[in-house]
Amino acid sequence: CPASPAAPLVFTMLQLTRVYRGNSMFRGNASLNGQLSHLLEDHNVTQVLPLEPPDAWARRKDEVVAYLKNFRQLVQLFNKERPTNFTQHLCCHLGCRLFPNGTAQSFYEVTLNRTAFLSFHVPNATWERRWPGELPVAAFAQAQLMKYPITTEDLQYFLNTTCVSILQAQSARTGEVSGRSRAPLVLGLILGSLALLGMALGIFLCTGGSC
């Protein structure tokens, strides 16, 4: 359905990761103003909208698949050190909104086992704990993420600038989606950022144990 003139334009990205006994399963998608642009099913990532030419998309797809394989191997490695017999669900939801008056709003939210876990405060480029009550793993993951520029300054730039520019191009388009080379970067950067969340695999390891 066409958006209302008063409604904001929106770019959203979602990655769901399920971990059980060292096995990782992935699902996700990205959408541009309500229209599906990318799909992720385990190691199969698909560009639904033709936002990149085939050769460029082939390179992007290889990068995404390589990230997912590394993430899976990391989970397996840590599981050997501290086996877990219960399922963990990690959900990352992020994106930006562009309002008709030209203002923008960006967000990045992480839930663990369907409970608010972390969020990224874009203006200050800081990660904040959202878990109700004290949880060592939340503090551990927050500290790990704050160590790396890709999850602070780079992520802030991506959400405030790159993501918003996609919507500005969409707002000004005449016939087809603009910014062909930038929109697919969203999916790659999302997964790249999650690699560092994966480094803080205390998410999967510290729960129920000591960090």
Side-chain angles (χ1 to χ4, degrees):
C1 298
S4 163
L9 296 174
V10 183
F11 199 104
T12 60
M13 294 140 280
L14 180 72
Q15 180 178 343
L16 306 173
T17 303
R18 178 177 179 267
V19 174
Y20 178 67
R21 291 187 175 180
N23 297 313
S24 306
M25 286 143 282
F26 307 103
R27 289 188 299 117
N29 62 67
S31 61
L32 177 60
N33 202 31
Q35 186 176 5
L36 187 67
S37 61
H38 299 85
L39 272 177
L40 172 65
E41 288 289 344
D42 203 29
H43 279 80
N44 184 29
V45 58
T46 306
Q47 180 180 237
V48 180
L49 292 179
L51 300 178
E52 268 190 326
D55 57 340
W57 171 244
R59 292 191 296 271
R60 183 78 59 201
K61 185 175 181 178
D62 288 344
E63 293 171 359
V64 172
V65 171
Y67 157 72
L68 295 173
K69 288 181 178 178
N70 290 336
F71 187 98
R72 177 166 285 173
Q73 290 171 356
L74 191 60
V75 170
Q76 291 171 342
L77 175 65
F78 276 94
N79 187 68
K80 290 178 180 179
E81 297 295 325
R82 186 182 294 182
T84 56
N85 294 321
F86 51 90
T87 301
Q88 300 276 32
H89 295 275
L90 178 70
C91 173
C92 297
H93 179 227
L94 63 160
C96 59
R97 304 179 183 93
L98 178 66
F99 295 91
N101 63 4
T103 61
Q105 180 187 47
S106 302
F107 61 92
Y108 195 136
E109 301 161 348
V110 182
T111 63
L112 177 64
N113 297 331
R114 300 179 179 86
T115 300
F117 185 64
L118 297 170
S119 66
F120 185 68
H121 188 254
V122 180
N124 295 334
T126 56
W127 286 93
E128 299 177 348
R129 279 173 277 172
R130 296 299 182 193
W131 191 271
E134 296 295 325
L135 182 69
V137 63
F140 177 80
Q142 179 193 33
Q144 290 297 312
L145 288 167
M146 288 299 298
K147 289 181 180 180
Y148 303 99
I150 193 173
T151 68
T152 53
E153 290 90 350
D154 289 2
L155 185 57
Q156 180 190 49
Y157 181 86
F158 167 70
L159 291 170
N160 272 342
T161 304
T162 307
C163 185
V164 173
S165 71
I166 293 169
L167 294 179
Q168 290 171 336
Q170 171 74 1
S171 178
R173 72 174 185 169
T174 55
E176 66 178 43
V177 177
S178 337
R180 295 175 61 90
S181 64
R182 291 178 294 176
L185 174 63
V186 174
L187 188 62
L189 185 57
I190 288 311
L191 299 175
S193 306
L194 286 172
L196 288 171
L197 194 54
M199 284 183 63
L201 267 179
I203 290 173
F204 304 123
L205 305 174
C206 296
T207 303
S210 59
C211 297

